Amino acid sequence: MTAVKIDLNRVSMPKQTPDERIYNFDEVAQGYQYDQALIEAKRCLNCPKKPCVEGCPVGVDIPEFIQEIVNEKMEQALAILKDKNSLPAICGRVCPQESQCESKCSLAKKGAPIAIGRLERYVADWELSDVANRRLKVAKESSTGKMVAIVGAGPAGLTVAADLAKLGHTVVLFEALHVAGGVLVYGIPEFRLPKMIVGKEVEYVQSLGVQIRLNSVIGKMLTIDELMEYGFEAVFLGSGAGLPMFLNIPGENLTGIYSANEFLTRVNLMKAYLFPKYLTPLEVGDRVAVIGGGNVAMDSARCALRLGAREVRVIYRRSRAEMPARLEESENAEEEGIIFQFLTNPIAFIGDERDTIKSMKCVEMMLGEPDSSGRARPVVKPNSEFMLDVDTVIVALGTNPNPLIPSTTNGLQTTDRGTVVAESATGLTSRSKIWAGGDLTTGSATVISAMGAGKRAAAAIHAYLSGEKESKQYEVAQVTKE
Ligand code: FAD
Ligand code: SF4
């Protein structure tokens, strides 16, 4: 028998060139064409043990959907994807597949793993393309008459909403902003995740019967207890972690220093990049420093470049190896000319006579013993102070949850960081009939981890509402906790 020869290289995805893309906000990665998707799908070994599925937090049947691409049965491929993942066009674009499903792929041992994310995006985009009305018809259970309130229309809330609506529950989703999507609309820029894609995925969730109430700040407009008084039998909290962290060093209040949250919200949600069509003010100087090394820092740096900055520098206190940003995104940033200054930390901001930032005092760092996160602890190098001239600073250090909901909900237990305490297997909180998941419980994490938590919570809420055996267990857990 002749052995089948497997191509160890994956099919590359077309991208806008760096010279072209730094002048626009259009999507950088352009997705596979039909032939490219087919060639990549045919590399899949259809492994009986499916190691890739173990790496997927929502358990998508990966080999099955890929085989349907090979069979050229796109509707079936889509149905398999959507059975476990209600937002595949989003996940195909922004999930860190390299550390999840693709890292487990059998082919990774010898060569490049299957490009699972790109194939997921291909199938999801096939549905969203307007060649024909390809909207998948989803089977729904008949109405249970039970009402569930969900707080926050990010990936966690949308996932819970979709899963519970399919199971026949009446789902009302309350969102503080004027548009649904959470970080997907206010944080991640258009050139990585077009808002039209998020809008279509949200429409899909609405098509399942989910009602979305925008401009509804829970904790102000209505408290969680008031929602329950209105007849909601279960509440899911998916309000994310939108409160930015700061360096707490001298000069941080100077004009020209933004939190990444504010900067990206102005650019993406309020469309500052389309000024003057959208009248959102956003001042970006010639020399921009972005403090941090995660996806948020990469997005801020790349937005600043597109908004006309001459020199954009990412300042990170550890080394390249510890940077938490997705590799694809730090590579894209570097291709675009972003400068990376590793092992550096600002210790003071200095302003001019109008209290506008003009420079930063920095120190050089060295890597010491691992800290509690397992990463090498950065320590200050003695006598290493130096000055860096800057016109704009963007602080991208991470976020914590907004305290509004915990402070208006008696008995909702939180940690020192302000995250809501919830059982990891079910999302149940310390309060009866209240579940939580996503960044609200973990601090800033990933889209797919928020969706995974949403799926587990939806299953637990359904079990509770159905009065199945598990619900008793939840009652006991609630009573002991309260
Ligand atoms: P969120 O997405 O934060 O959604 C919470 C929603 O709740 C928001 O819409 C908010 O307005 C609403 N809300 C808050 N308070 C209230 C209230 N009181 N009442 C009603 N509604 C409320 N992850 C990846 O996997 N890949 C990436 O490439 C990536 N890039 C990122 C880039 C940026 C700039 C940022 C900020 C994050 C990025 N992440 C990425 C992380 C990811 O987006 C989050 O982990 C994920 O969105 C968390 O989902 P969530 O549903 O828990 O919360
Ligand atoms: Fe295909 Fe890789 Fe999954 Fe094997 S592990 S089935 S090759 S995607």
Side-chain angles (χ1 to χ4, degrees):
M1 210 171 77
T2 34
V4 181
K5 196 164 174 282
I6 301 292
D7 190 344
L8 294 177
N9 297 310
R10 51 168 60 183
V11 177
S12 59
M13 180 163 59
K15 285 201 291 189
Q16 281 195 71
T17 64
D19 288 351
E20 196 184 348
R21 68 190 192 230
I22 59 169
Y23 296 107
N24 67 59
F25 270 75
D26 298 341
E27 196 170 14
V28 169
Q30 290 163 345
Y32 279 155
Q33 297 297 312
Y34 170 74
D35 292 353
Q36 294 166 318
L38 203 59
I39 295 170
E40 183 61 22
K42 283 182 178 167
R43 291 178 63 231
C44 175
L45 304 173
N46 201 3
C47 311
K49 289 197 175 156
K50 309 180 189 185
C52 48
V53 179
E54 282 166 32
C56 175
V58 296
V60 166
D61 296 316
I62 294 167
E64 281 84 351
F65 101 78
I66 294 179
Q67 289 318 301
E68 294 300 1
I69 301 178
V70 174
N71 299 335
E72 301 183 41
K73 291 194 172 152
M74 226 47 82
E75 251 176 73
Q76 276 89 327
L78 185 65
I80 294 168
L81 263 180
K82 283 213 157 170
D83 183 43
K84 301 280 170 59
N85 184 341
S86 297
L87 313 171
I90 292 166
C91 289
R93 285 171 166 83
V94 301
C95 278
Q97 292 99 9
E98 64 278 5
S99 57
Q100 294 177 334
C101 52
E102 292 179 7
S103 72
K104 306 268 180 187
C105 173
S106 315
L107 283 174
K109 291 181 196 131
K110 292 189 181 145
I114 296 290
I116 300 169
R118 294 175 187 177
L119 292 174
E120 178 182 29
R121 169 185 170 158
Y122 175 77
V123 175
D125 284 2
W126 173 86
E127 184 194 24
L128 301 181
S129 66
D130 48 18
V131 180
N133 183 8
R134 288 165 171 163
R135 271 290 183 199
L136 194 69
K137 300 275 177 295
V138 178
K140 265 187 68 175
E141 301 290 329
S142 51
S143 172
T144 62
K146 309 271 183 191
M147 294 213 310
V148 183
I150 294 176
V151 183
L158 289 168
T159 300
V160 180
D163 281 12
L164 290 176
K166 283 186 206 167
L167 291 164
H169 303 298
T170 301
V171 181
V172 184
L173 206 164
F174 296 90
E175 167 54 49
L177 294 174
H178 60 279
V179 49
V183 169
L184 309 174
V185 285
Y186 78 75
I188 304 184
E190 182 75 16
F191 55 80
R192 275 213 299 132
L193 179 60
K195 302 312 148 215
M196 179 273 289
I197 297 286
V198 182
K200 289 204 173 187
E201 301 269 56
V202 170
E203 270 173 31
Y204 164 73
V205 174
Q206 286 175 302
S207 76
L208 299 170
V210 173
Q211 302 167 45
I212 302 187
R213 303 275 158 81
L214 299 172
N215 302 307
S216 306
V217 184
I218 299 302
K220 284 260 184 228
M221 193 186 83
L222 285 171
T223 63
I224 301 293
D225 289 303
E226 282 167 338
L227 284 174
M228 288 175 158
E229 281 165 25
Y230 277 113
F232 289 102
E233 291 171 60
V235 177
F236 174 80
L237 305 177
S239 49
L243 199 67
M245 292 199 256
F246 287 95
L247 289 150
N248 295 319
I249 59 174
E252 213 164 4
N253 285 331
L254 290 167
T255 305
I257 304 182
Y258 297 91
S259 72
N261 243 43
E262 179 191 348
F263 181 79
L264 291 171
T265 301
R266 287 189 190 214
V267 176
N268 300 310
L269 186 70
M270 306 312 291
K271 309 246 181 284
Y273 71 96
L274 295 176
F275 186 87
K277 188 173 164 202
Y278 288 80
L279 291 172
T280 304
L282 186 66
E283 195 74 20
V284 178
D286 270 351
R287 291 159 304 182
V288 176
V290 178
I291 320 295
N295 288 321
V296 185
M298 299 306 121
D299 285 344
S300 303
R302 296 172 72 198
C303 283
L305 190 72
R306 283 161 173 76
L307 290 166
R310 202 167 38 81
E311 180 190 282
V312 182
R313 199 176 281 269
V314 168
I315 309 275
Y316 182 51
R317 63 191 184 138
R318 292 183 163 98
S319 76
R320 184 186 290 274
E322 290 82 29
M323 256 201 334
R326 288 191 65 195
L327 184 63
E328 186 177 333
E329 298 314 331
S330 58
E331 280 175 1
N332 277 336
E334 220 155 9
E335 277 175 20
E336 290 168 12
I338 308 284
I339 302 162
F340 284 82
Q341 188 154 346
F342 295 109
L343 294 167
T344 303
N345 208 26
I347 53 168
F349 297 113
I350 291 98
D352 62 14
E353 61 289 348
R354 290 175 304 124
D355 281 342
T356 299
I357 176 86
K358 66 168 189 176
S359 60
M360 304 196 301
K361 188 186 279 185
C362 300
V363 282
E364 289 178 34
M365 310 294 286
M366 304 178 296
L367 291 182
E369 292 300 307
D371 62 15
S372 56
S373 71
R375 292 182 302 170
R377 185 190 301 274
V379 285
V380 177
K381 200 168 173 179
N383 307 316
S384 63
E385 280 183 16
F386 67 99
M387 299 299 292
L388 197 64
D389 289 342
V390 286
D391 307 303
T392 301
V393 171
I394 304 166
V395 181
L397 295 181
T399 49
N400 284 322
N402 189 307
L404 179 61
I405 290 179
S407 67
T408 53
T409 315
N410 281 336
L412 195 64
Q413 202 185 325
T414 54
T415 64
D416 294 348
R417 287 182 58 200
T419 52
V420 166
V421 176
E423 286 180 5
S424 57
T426 63
L428 186 68
T429 68
S430 54
R431 267 287 304 267
S432 174
K433 300 175 189 170
I434 303 179
W435 285 259
D439 282 6
L440 176 68
T441 56
T442 56
S444 45
T446 61
V447 171
I448 198 71
S449 59
M451 291 177 65
K455 283 201 97 61
R456 292 191 294 277
I461 293 171
H462 178 60
Y464 167 73
L465 293 176
S466 312
E468 285 173 13
K469 213 168 156 223
E470 289 92 336
S471 67
K472 261 198 149 161
Q473 208 180 319
Y474 300 136
E475 285 298 331
V476 171
Q478 289 154 16
V479 172
T480 355
K481 281 186 172 185
E482 273 174 353

